[in-house]
Every structure is written in C-alpha cells, then in structure tokens.
Amino acid sequence: MSATSSRTPSFWDDAVVYQLYVRSFADSDGDGVGDLGGVIRRLDHIAGLGAGAIWLNPCYPSPQADHGYDIADYRGVNPEYGTLETFDRLVAEAHARGLRILLDLVPNHCSDRHPWFTAALAAGPGSPERARFVFRDGRGDAPPNNWQSVFGGPAWTRVTEPDGTPGQWYLHLFTREQPDFDWRNAEVLAEFDDILRFWFDRGVDGFRIDVCHGLIKDAALRDWDGGGYNAHSWNQPEVHGIFRRWRALAEGYDRDLLLVGEVWVPDPGDLDDYLRPDELHQAFSFDLLVQPWDAGALRGAVERAAARTAVHGAPAAWTLANHDVHRAVTRYGIVRPEPAPPSNDAFAALMRPRGEVDVKLGERRARAALLLVLALPGSVFLYQGEELGLPEVLDLPDEARQDPVFHRSGGREKGRDGCRVPLPWSAAAPAFGFGTGTPWLPQPDWFAAYAADVQDETSTLHLYRRAIRARHELGLGEPGEVAWLATGEDTVLAFRRGEVVCVVNTGATDFTPPAQWGAVVLHSGEPAVVAADTAAWLAPARS
Ligand code: NOJ
Ligand code: MG
C-alpha cells in the first residue's frame, strides 16, 4: 500500500502550478515592468491552460537588487507591481477561476534597506539589532571565514561603524544587498510566524520557500573546505525545527495550505528529512530538471523521486524550468556542449549549461519532456513562457543584463536574464503585447514567432492545453505507482500509470510500441510511431 493512500487529498497532490514571474508577465500601466494588474488581465490564459494554482515570484517592496529576492517589507506589495488592494483583487479573481495563489517566502535574507538592517548598522557591535543578522569581527582585515557568495565574490561585506571606523562584517550568501538573518535568534522566528499569518489571513494558499537548505549556518562558522558544496553553510540539521514550526502554524488553519521548498542538496536522499510528515509538504525535484536528454538518466531521476514519496508520502513536485535555469528548449537542444565557466554556485553548470543549441531539436524534446512530467504522480510546476515553447534569450546585449549573477561574476556567468525576458503575447503589437512601455529587458525580434496569438493547433501552447486537460481526465497526476515497462531499447523509457502508458523516445530512430499498450491518445510529435525525440500516451481503445 502506498504511503499516500491513507492521507486526506490536498490540492497539491496532482496540481499543475503556473510559476509567474510578475516582472515579466504582463504590464498594465505602461512602465515596462510587469505588475499585478497585468496578471489579473491575463488570468484567463492561466486558467485556460488547466492550471490549478499560481506561484508568484516575490512581489513585496524591494530595491530589486535581486529582483524581489531582496525584501524591504514582507507585508506589502512593490509599488511598481501594485498595492495590497490590487493583491486582494488578484486573490479574489484567481479564486473565482479555481486558481490558488502561492507566494514566495524569502526567509534566508532580506534587503539591506529593510528597517531591521538599517537599525543593525546604526546600533553597532554587540547590539540586539545586530543579533538578528550574522555580524562578526574579521580576522585582522580579512573576513571572518572563507565562505563565498553563490553569485560570485566573498559572502561577507565589511561595514563602516557609526563612528566612521571600518568595523564588523555581515554574512550574505547571495548579494551584499541581501544580508542573511540569524535563524537562531528568537525575534527572527517570531517575525516570520507573523509574516506567514499575515498572508494566510489575506487568503493565500501557501508558500514556495526560498533556499530552505540555507537558513541555519554552522554554529562556529567554520571555513569551507573549498570543494564544491559548502557543508557548513548549507543543509544543517537544526534547520528542520523551522519547518516544523511553520507546518504546525499552517495546520492551525482550517484549509489546505501548501509549503513547498526550494532545497538544493547534492544527494536527492538528503531531501527526505525536509519531507517528514511534520515539515514541508513538498520539495522541488531538481534532480529531474538537471538530467540530460537520455532515457536512462531521466528514468533514474523519476525513480529517485518516487523513492522520496515512498519514505514519507510527500507527493513529488516536478519541474523542468524556473526563473533561475536556462529554458528547457535550450537545455535539451544543446548539440555541442561547452565547458562551464568557473562558478561559486555548485549547481550553476547543471542549471545553465552552455553550448551550441539546435532550437528545433530542443523544442521537440521539451514537448516530449512535458508529456513525461505530466504523466507522473505529483504536482507539476510550469514556468511562464515554457507553454509558448520559448528558448532562452542567449543574445541579450551585455549592457541590458541586470542579473547580479552576471555582474558579480564579472560577466563570466551570463546569469538568468535570458529566461526572464517579458513574454510575447501578440506578434504584431508593440512590445509583443507585454505592455505599452519599453520592456525592462529587451525582447528579441524572433519573439514574434512565439507570441501566444500566433500559436496554432500544432503549437506548443496547444499541446500544453491538450496535455493538461488529458492529464486531469486520465487522472495521471494522482498518487499511485509508476510501473516501468521493458522497451528493449536503452534510449526509450516507458511506464504505466493505471491504464495509460507513457513512452518517451530519446533515441535517434522511431519506436513502435507493442499493440497491447493501446493506441496513441496524445503525442508530442507524429501520431503513427513514437518518433525520435518525441513522447506519446497510449491507452486501450474505449468501447
Ligand atoms: C533562489 C531564487 O530562486 C533565486 O532567484 C534567488 O536569487 C536566490 N534564491 C536568492 O534569494
Ligand atoms: Mg507596470
């Protein structure tokens, strides 16, 4: 018996969640920046896809040093995006369409303009204000330890004390504008309890939680050994107490509230502890996202995720793209890989692989990969623009780039702007229908071919709509077994979900499924066979 069958069903068991990067979705007021008014106007696009929930990337007041992941006020809305009233309207309009709303909770760090941090700077060493962050004396003129920022450069910045002398250092695992909280401090815990309640009380249906594995640091802040993943800054055992606390808080409400974690750990088995029945409901399966286009590799990641679900019953959270990684079309389209530049981020090479890209090939494979994830038990998180088949914008001019990853790495790493370019809605409209102003990142001319209004019956957008509808009708996302079927080919994977068989062909030649698997009900390429780089769902003919 599966561990999931005894649980009460929740919306995230099999939901399709649309990840919405507010800044780049739709601009309603002509300032070139996406906003909540734009989201409200385009809600029918998301409902029409068949999604059941939306995850909004951070839309709180923020100086935008890391596009919203540097929060100055956890209880407001960035004025560029709207007001709390706009937010309330969005929640109401979304709920009216059966769409839940998930916010992005960013607990590891705030903005250096957050009132707590400015107070900490003013209050000086040893103060309770500083104790909410990780301030330390240096080692002579050197930082307190050798930790590196994920985005390049050291993880410490030295402050000038109120009396004008060079003073203490504060820790920031990301940019210097993102000081890390000290999660051993009771005031920090209490503050976040209150933030969670603030939004739950406003009607949000859960949180995607940023950098879960980073909240607690080694108590002695020991030096990193220099080899890849820093075992002293990430994945500390004490972090789990925080998730238990939030889970208990969420359970205090009489409705379905989701906590889904962003947890990057080198061994997928390390996720198990985060998914204990009194911690997070889900954690993203990045293991699948980082696999190459290879049947064995993809199957391995699916099996490992199924093993996670078997331990504590937590449904998988599948995802093939997000706002930090190269778009799926581009990743799967790499025909001649190039070595990754050196990076402080142990996962950068996997998230943003480089090389010569065959876009048509990548598109074919990304469509097939969609049928793979939509056939799996668990929820599926779809990043905006993937439904249009957008490739990564690799040709952004350097002057236009805004990602701190680009700037802090001295341009060595191109960063994440290429998956954040404002969406093309109409091929013939100014800014492709994103809005009337000049978009905050330039859209390439070739975006016209991907605009939502020129996607015909054979397009990726229509495949998304058909596949999500069929997934619901066939119950493919519901808890249950993934039963692998022999295909006789290393390059073809096949599994059964109830009556339906999903076949994915990563090889170079056609695959003809045995007749007993049934007839094709949906395919990503051609109907007759499961051709190279395509996938299909088969089912017995209905009489
Ligand atoms: C992970 C988020 O997904 C990313 O966009 C952000 O830059 C870092 N966490 C820091 O908050
Ligand atoms: Mg705007």
Side-chain angles (χ1 to χ4, degrees):
M1 206 184 95
S2 88
T4 45
S5 57
S6 54
R7 292 175 40 247
T8 337
S10 298
F11 73 85
W12 57 84
D13 287 347
D14 64 349
V16 169
V17 184
Y18 189 86
Q19 182 195 344
L20 197 153
Y21 198 78
V22 178
R23 211 173 173 74
S24 304
F25 184 72
D27 173 22
S28 69
D29 62 0
D31 65 354
V33 172
D35 46 48
L36 298 182
V39 178
I40 294 172
R41 276 195 204 166
R42 300 259 183 208
L43 273 178
D44 288 334
H45 171 79
I46 303 168
L49 274 177
I54 297 175
W55 150 30
L56 297 169
N57 281 105
C59 42
Y60 316 93
S62 157
Q64 304 288 321
D66 185 22
H67 288 136
Y69 286 93
D70 49 317
I71 298 172
D73 172 6
Y74 285 82
R75 296 176 187 79
V77 169
N78 182 17
E80 278 179 306
Y81 298 165
T83 61
L84 277 172
E85 285 65 47
T86 339
F87 180 81
D88 291 343
R89 199 148 47 81
L90 168 59
V91 172
E93 296 268 354
H95 284 169
R97 289 168 176 80
L99 292 164
R100 321 246 176 175
I101 292 284
L102 309 175
L103 289 189
D104 209 317
L105 185 71
V106 187
N108 182 66
H109 44 262
C110 59
S111 160
D112 60 348
R113 316 264 184 88
H114 189 286
W116 274 16
F117 192 72
T118 46
L121 290 181
S127 60
E129 287 84 353
R130 284 216 175 163
R132 297 159 171 164
F133 297 92
V134 187
F135 277 89
R136 292 290 184 280
D137 295 333
R139 299 192 278 206
D141 276 337
N145 71 20
N146 69 354
W147 294 3
Q148 295 293 300
S149 144
V150 175
F151 292 164
W156 296 91
T157 290
R158 192 168 197 181
V159 305
T160 304
E161 297 300 351
D163 67 3
T165 57
Q168 287 196 303
W169 301 70
Y170 68 90
L171 179 70
H172 51 85
L173 293 180
F174 295 90
T175 71
R176 60 187 297 161
E177 294 87 359
Q178 293 166 294
D180 282 39
F181 286 114
D182 183 348
W183 273 93
R184 292 189 163 87
N185 181 305
E187 276 189 84
V188 174
L189 287 156
E191 175 70 359
F192 272 83
D193 288 353
D194 193 68
I195 292 166
L196 284 160
R197 285 204 192 91
F198 178 87
W199 293 106
F200 286 152
D201 293 345
R202 265 202 129 77
V204 313
D205 302 291
F207 288 98
R208 173 268 186 191
I209 305 169
D210 195 56
V211 215
C212 290
H213 52 300
L215 304 190
I216 295 270
K217 283 77 178 175
D218 174 55
L221 297 173
R222 280 172 287 176
D223 272 337
W224 167 50
D225 67 7
Y229 197 78
N230 182 350
H232 296 313
S233 63
W234 308 120
N235 200 26
Q236 304 299 299
E238 298 97 311
V239 84
H240 298 287
I242 302 168
F243 305 125
R244 274 186 215 114
R245 185 176 174 117
W246 292 346
R247 177 67 173 261
L249 191 155
E251 309 242 309
Y253 286 79
D254 191 21
R255 50 185 228 270
D256 246 10
L257 297 175
L258 168 63
L259 303 175
V260 51
E262 183 210 28
V263 191
W264 285 92
V265 284
D267 176 355
D270 290 341
L271 289 178
D272 287 344
D273 288 349
Y274 292 80
L275 298 172
R276 285 179 284 211
D278 59 349
E279 296 197 30
L280 302 174
H281 298 98
Q282 291 187 295
F284 292 110
S285 173
F286 295 127
D287 185 19
L288 180 69
L289 185 155
V290 301
Q291 297 306 322
W293 185 246
D294 172 88
L298 296 169
R299 173 175 170 165
V302 171
E303 286 175 326
R304 287 187 292 275
R308 307 278 72 73
T309 298
V311 175
H312 295 302
W318 305 106
T319 179
L320 295 173
N322 63 38
H323 63 296
D324 293 328
V325 306
H326 278 178
R327 286 195 177 275
V329 165
T330 299
R331 292 201 320 274
Y332 295 135
I334 292 182
V335 281
R336 248 177 296 283
E338 283 163 18
S343 174
N344 280 355
D345 184 345
F347 298 101
L350 295 169
M351 298 161 95
R352 298 183 291 274
R354 294 208 198 175
E356 192 185 317
V357 177
D358 176 339
V359 170
K360 282 286 155 227
L361 180 68
E363 198 176 295
R364 212 170 144 79
R365 291 175 173 173
R367 290 164 60 111
L370 175 73
L371 294 201
L372 166 65
V373 290
L374 287 179
L376 294 170
S379 53
V380 178
F381 285 70
L382 303 172
Y383 177 53
Q384 70 176 39
E386 293 288 296
E387 78 277 24
L388 304 177
L390 283 180
E392 184 79 7
V393 182
L394 296 170
D395 51 359
L396 272 177
D398 283 353
E399 319 79 75
R401 291 191 181 272
Q402 302 202 11
D403 186 359
V405 171
F406 175 77
H407 295 287
R408 286 187 64 97
S409 72
R412 226 181 20 250
E413 295 180 66
K414 294 289 179 197
R416 305 164 294 177
D417 292 313
C419 65
R420 301 175 176 181
V421 176
L423 292 189
W425 295 96
S426 349
F432 302 118
F434 170 68
T436 53
T438 306
W440 69 279
L441 281 174
Q443 300 162 303
D445 293 342
W446 51 262
F447 256 34
Y450 295 89
D453 72 345
V454 295
Q455 303 242 351
D456 65 13
E457 281 303 307
T458 64
S459 67
T460 297
L461 180 56
H462 284 257
L463 177 67
Y464 266 73
R465 290 185 183 140
R466 283 196 305 275
I468 294 170
R469 195 180 323 120
R471 166 185 159 95
H472 291 316
E473 283 166 10
L474 299 165
L476 295 179
E478 289 166 14
E481 208 196 345
V482 175
W484 297 97
L485 299 170
T487 64
E489 304 281 348
D490 290 345
T491 50
V492 181
L493 68 81
F495 57 87
R496 187 181 284 285
R497 297 271 301 129
E499 293 217 302
V500 178
V501 173
C502 173
V503 185
V504 182
N505 184 355
T506 65
T509 52
D510 293 349
F511 175 78
T512 308
Q516 69 268 24
W517 291 1
V520 170
V521 291
L522 195 80
H523 61 85
S524 71
E526 301 81 25
V529 286
V530 186
D533 298 310
T534 72
W537 294 347
L538 299 95
R542 291 198 194 150
S543 45

